[in-house]
């Protein structure tokens, strides 16, 4: 049945919904012997294709949904609740087709005015229809904004501009901003926080199509309400929630506002939230700054010094739960900095990012690593081609300066940052000399009295052993193995398994004979045990694979998707399997 439904769906996509329903009309029956093809609604969803038009949705499916709703009401009065529920489900399925029609909609400029009132009424009166209608509005506007064409410039070169049809469609949509934006604002304020995301997306999309004077009026109205709520200093939960919801509205409008008129007003209103004691408001403050930096480069370039000063002032007050949002803000800033600006801010930004790699929150650590890699990429991107290798080396040296930190926490964080940075750029020939020098620098840290530092040093050694050439590491084995094995005891359970994993890697890479020569006498039994265990595991594996080949064949299961740091995390986690 699934194959049949998929085949019919592909046919509907190929010929378009209008031709499809001419061939297979949608019929709904509430009697046992009646003909019912309502299952075609499920087929059409997701298979509207590029031939779907809003005019056909208005002429065919709008009367159908009205009939379904009225018939369901009649069945409810007759106490036929099962049939009433089925028709209401079909009513929702009809509306679920709207995003597919909006995703193509070549006739948006002419068809949307006739559909706008029905959409607004359904948004206001039918909560169950809000998700498909909001998705449809977003898809409709984004589709029109994606229609571009190349136009030759008078003085030479070309410009990429909206097509005339797309401009006309956006103008038609923007004419109804005075109706839809206030409606969306009211819905946003009435919904709980966990159900506002889709409304915010719709507001942001519609704001991009709204006329600039109208948008400015809406922005100032919401901003005035925020300032009034901020003036309420009782600090109650209701006041905080009101401020958060109004800030979310401003953030939805922010990408479309004027960088010269409204952006400074938003910055002035959100700047105090960077040091606010409430976590939610502090997050909104950082998110507002990220949005301004990302969407309004001219505003950022004019206010760079002020923004840097505000971030420096807010750092001591930054709550742990806001670290990720602050790091995302630093990423947005690093993307906009010029070569000279990045060089001036490198030390300050790296110090904060490096320390954040030791955060307890997983998302904060991932954001810190992302920021670290982004800074290195930007340093290379803004440098001349001949000096890109030097730019990467300067970032590595700046991070390595943290090894001279006064606290074990700073030293450990620097080691973790270096390991991630070196692993990301392990294929770069320019990073190999710096990696060898760092390998030698880290070896004395294996004798550090703080386990936090030793654990981070072991992480870096893992990365270096995977990245550096064999001939560069082999002369350093006499300085590496003895202090490493000093941590291979039951008193240091976590380090014990990490050390054992490193020894296995060393044996695999350099051979048992070489490792026996550099291993102290009391620990040679460990190498013997590892050899026997490896031989036993190989025999078991061979037997298991042989049995599986006979029973099931040798088909391999495909692997799943991996995120950006998955390979690096897998490398670091290989030594934890025996814990």
């Amino acid at each position: 049945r699934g194959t049949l439904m998929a085949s019919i769906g592909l046919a509907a996509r190929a010929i378009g919904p209008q031709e499809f329903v001419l061939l297979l009309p949608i019929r709904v029956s509430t009697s046992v012997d009646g003909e019912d093809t309502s299952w075609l609604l499920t087929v059409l969803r997701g298979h509207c294709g590029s031939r779907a038009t809003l005019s056909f949705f208005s002429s065919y499916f709008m009367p159908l949904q009205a009939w379904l709703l009225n018939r369901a009401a009649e069945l409810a009065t007759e106490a036929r609740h099962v049939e009433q529920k089925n028709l209401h489900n079909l009513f929702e399925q009809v509306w679920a087709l709207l995003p597919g029609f909006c995703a193509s909609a070549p006739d948006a400029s002419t068809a949307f005015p006739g559909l706008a009132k029905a959409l607004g009424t359904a948004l206001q009166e039918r909560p169950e229809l809000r998700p498909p209608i909001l998705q449809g509005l977003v898809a409709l506007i984004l589709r029109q904004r994606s229609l571009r064409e190349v136009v030759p410039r008078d003085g030479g070169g070309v410009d990429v501009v909206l097509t005339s049809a797309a401009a006309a469609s956006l103008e038609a949509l923007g004419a109804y901003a005075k109706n839809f934006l206030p409606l969306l604002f009211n819905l946003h304020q009435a919904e709980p926080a966990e159900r506002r995301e889709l409304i915010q997306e719709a507001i942001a999309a519609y704001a991009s199509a709204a006329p600039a004077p109208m948008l400015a009026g809406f922005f100032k109205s919401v901003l005035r309400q925020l300032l009034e709520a901020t003036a309420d200093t009782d600090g109650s939960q209701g006041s905080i929630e009101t401020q958060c919801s109004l800030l979310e509205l401003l953030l939805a409008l922010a990408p479309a506002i004027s960088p010269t008129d409204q952006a400074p007003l938003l910055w002035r209103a959100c700047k105090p939230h960077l040091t606010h004691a409430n976590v939610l408001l502090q997050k909104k403050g950082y998110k507002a700054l990220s949005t301004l930096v990302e969407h309004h480069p001219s505003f950022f370039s004019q206010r760079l010094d002020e923004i840097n000063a505000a971030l420096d002032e807010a750092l001591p007050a930054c709550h742990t739960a806001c670290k990720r949002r602050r790091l995302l803000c630093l990423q947005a800033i690093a993307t906009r900095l010029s070569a000279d600006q990045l060089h001036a801010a490198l030390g300050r930004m790296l110090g904060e990012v490096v320390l954040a790699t030791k955060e307890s929150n997983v998302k904060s650590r991932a954001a810190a690593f992302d920021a670290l890699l982004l800074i290195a990429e930007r340093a290379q991107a803004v440098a001349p081609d001949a000096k890109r290798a030097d730019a990467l080396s300067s970032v590595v040296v700046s991070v390595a300066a943290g090894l001279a930190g006064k606290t074990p926490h700073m030293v450990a964080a620097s080691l973790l940052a270096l390991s991630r940075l070196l692993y990301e750029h392990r294929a770069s020939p320019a990073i190999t000399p710096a990696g060898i020098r760092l390998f030698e620098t880290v070896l004395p840290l294996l004798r550090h009295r703080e386990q936090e530092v030793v654990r981070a040093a072991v992480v870096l050694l893992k990365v270096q052993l995977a990245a550096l050439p064999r001939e560069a590491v082999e002369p350093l084995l006499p300085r590496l193995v003895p202090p490493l094995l000093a941590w291979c005891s039951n008193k240091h359970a976590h380090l014990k398994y990490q050390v054992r994993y490193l020894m296995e890697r060393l044996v695999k890479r350099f051979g048992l004979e070489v490792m026996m020569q550099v291993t102290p006498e009391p620990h040679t039994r460990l190498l013997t045990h590892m050899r026997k265990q490896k031989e036993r595991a190989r025999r078991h594996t061979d037997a298991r694979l042989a049995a599986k080949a006979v029973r099931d064949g040798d088909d391999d299961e495909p692997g799943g998707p991996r995120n950006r740091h998955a390979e690096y995390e897998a490398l670091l986690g290989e030594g934890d399997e025996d814990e």
Side-chain angles (χ1 to χ4, degrees):
R1 181 180 177 180
T3 304
L4 175 62
M5 298 281 280
S7 300
I8 297 175
L10 292 175
R13 180 188 295 272
I15 65 177
Q18 187 168 356
E19 295 295 329
F20 181 78
V21 298
L22 287 176
L23 296 174
L24 296 174
I26 298 175
R27 296 187 176 93
V28 180
S29 175
T30 56
S31 60
V32 177
D33 56 347
E35 182 181 1
D36 191 297
T37 59
S38 59
W39 56 273
L40 292 173
L41 291 172
T42 306
V43 175
L44 276 176
R45 184 177 182 181
H47 294 93
C48 293
S50 59
R51 297 175 181 266
T53 61
L54 279 182
S55 58
F56 178 66
F57 184 88
S58 300
S59 62
Y60 188 89
F61 289 103
M62 289 302 290
L64 177 59
Q65 63 87 26
W67 180 85
L68 288 169
L69 188 61
N70 293 332
R71 181 57 179 154
E74 294 174 1
L75 293 174
T77 60
E78 299 173 7
R80 298 168 62 180
H81 299 295
V82 175
E83 293 92 332
Q84 181 263 338
K85 180 63 176 176
N86 290 337
L87 288 188
H88 195 273
N89 289 339
L90 293 177
F91 168 74
E92 294 182 7
Q93 289 179 24
V94 170
W95 278 101
L97 299 176
L98 180 62
F101 279 82
C102 292
S104 57
D107 59 341
S109 60
T110 57
F112 185 78
L115 191 60
K117 184 177 180 180
L119 294 179
T121 302
L123 275 175
Q124 194 165 11
E125 299 178 357
R126 293 283 175 181
E128 72 274 16
L129 300 182
R130 288 171 188 170
I133 294 177
L134 293 173
Q135 292 169 6
L137 289 174
V138 172
L140 182 61
I141 295 174
L142 294 183
R143 167 63 178 172
Q144 302 307 316
R145 297 194 70 84
S146 67
L147 299 177
R148 306 270 176 167
E149 61 182 355
V150 177
V151 177
R153 198 181 301 165
D154 293 337
V158 295
D159 290 323
V160 180
V161 299
L162 287 172
T163 63
S164 57
S169 298
L170 289 174
E171 184 178 357
L173 289 165
Y176 289 89
K178 63 180 183 296
N179 306 108
F180 275 97
L181 283 178
L183 174 59
L184 294 173
F185 290 166
N186 293 334
L187 292 179
H188 183 275
Q189 296 303 91
E191 292 284 2
E194 61 272 10
R195 295 169 58 182
R196 293 174 183 164
E197 184 176 359
L198 191 54
I199 302 176
Q200 293 168 19
E201 292 178 7
I203 292 173
Y206 223 113
S208 67
M214 184 186 303
L215 180 63
F218 285 133
F219 175 83
K220 291 179 181 178
S221 176
V222 178
L223 183 61
R224 182 165 52 251
Q225 295 179 48
L226 173 63
L227 296 177
E228 292 173 355
T230 305
D232 183 9
T233 57
D234 60 355
S236 63
Q237 186 65 24
S239 175
I240 296 297
E241 292 178 356
T242 300
Q243 292 181 58
C244 288
S245 62
L246 291 172
L247 275 169
E248 289 170 353
L249 288 179
L250 290 173
L251 289 174
L253 298 174
I257 62 177
S258 168
T260 57
D261 297 330
Q262 286 89 48
L265 297 177
L266 179 58
W267 166 238
R268 193 182 309 168
C270 295
K271 181 179 177 181
H273 293 102
L274 298 178
T275 55
H276 202 282
N278 184 270
V279 176
L280 293 177
L281 289 177
Q282 196 175 117
K283 284 184 178 180
K284 302 299 180 188
Y286 282 114
K287 189 173 182 179
L289 179 56
S290 300
T291 304
L292 289 173
V293 172
E294 180 179 355
H295 294 280
H296 302 293
S298 59
F299 164 80
F300 170 70
S301 60
Q302 295 172 2
R303 303 286 185 116
L304 177 59
D305 294 337
E306 182 182 349
I307 291 173
N308 286 334
L311 287 174
D312 292 341
E313 181 183 353
L315 179 59
C318 184
H319 195 277
T320 303
C322 302
K323 281 290 185 181
R324 174 178 171 272
R325 182 54 61 184
R326 180 180 172 91
L327 289 166
L328 293 177
C329 186
L330 292 179
Q331 291 181 43
I333 291 175
T335 305
R336 296 295 183 187
L337 293 177
S338 64
D340 295 337
Q341 292 169 342
L342 183 62
H343 180 74
L346 192 62
R348 184 183 72 256
M349 295 181 70
L350 282 177
E352 182 176 348
V353 169
V354 166
L355 284 174
T357 60
K358 290 283 289 180
E359 286 290 327
S360 57
N361 184 275
V362 176
K363 292 183 178 180
S364 297
R365 289 201 306 272
F369 284 128
D370 285 336
L372 177 68
L373 299 181
L374 176 64
I375 291 173
E377 292 170 4
R378 286 292 301 160
Q380 296 179 86
V382 299
D385 292 341
K387 295 185 177 180
R388 288 190 174 182
D390 295 337
L392 178 59
S393 298
S394 67
V395 174
V396 173
V397 171
S398 299
V399 177
L403 298 178
K406 297 181 179 179
T407 63
H409 186 80
M410 182 63 193
V411 176
S414 301
L415 288 169
L416 291 177
L418 285 169
S419 67
R420 186 66 186 92
L421 198 58
L422 294 174
Y423 187 80
E424 183 72 14
H425 299 279
R426 62 191 182 280
S428 174
I431 209 68
T432 302
I436 296 174
R437 292 194 298 270
L438 279 173
F439 195 96
E440 298 179 6
T441 304
V442 170
L443 291 177
L445 294 178
L446 291 174
R447 303 182 186 275
H448 202 282
R449 61 183 181 180
E450 295 290 340
Q451 288 194 38
E452 179 184 16
V453 175
V454 178
R455 283 197 296 267
V458 170
V459 169
L460 181 59
L461 291 175
K462 278 187 181 183
V463 173
Q464 294 292 74
L465 288 175
L468 292 179
R470 171 175 175 167
E471 58 273 12
V473 178
E474 188 169 358
L476 301 175
L477 290 179
R479 296 170 55 190
L480 167 64
V481 176
L484 189 64
L485 290 173
W487 294 96
C488 190
S489 66
N490 292 329
K491 294 188 298 182
H492 315 290
H494 178 75
L495 284 172
K496 175 182 177 180
Y497 293 106
Q498 296 289 326
V499 168
R500 178 169 175 170
Y501 164 76
L502 277 179
M503 291 298 294
E504 291 175 352
R505 292 290 300 271
L506 289 169
V507 170
K508 184 177 180 179
R509 190 170 192 189
F510 299 102
L512 184 62
E513 294 183 3
V514 173
M515 291 303 299
M516 290 291 285
Q517 295 175 5
V518 298
T519 301
E521 183 69 23
H523 296 283
T524 54
R525 294 177 58 189
L526 173 62
L527 296 180
T528 304
H529 174 70
M530 289 167 51
R531 177 181 58 80
K532 293 180 178 179
Q533 195 174 40
K534 184 176 181 180
E535 292 174 354
R536 188 182 306 114
R538 185 185 297 112
R539 290 196 299 269
H540 290 169
T541 301
D542 292 343
R544 186 173 66 254
L545 292 177
K548 182 179 179 182
V550 173
R551 184 175 64 253
D552 299 325
D554 295 325
D555 294 334
D556 292 327
E557 293 292 332
R562 303 177 64 139
N563 60 42
R564 186 180 187 186
H565 306 295
E567 186 180 357
Y568 172 73
E569 296 288 350
L571 173 67
L572 303 189
E574 285 177 345
D576 296 331
E577 296 177 356
D578 298 327
E579 293 188 60

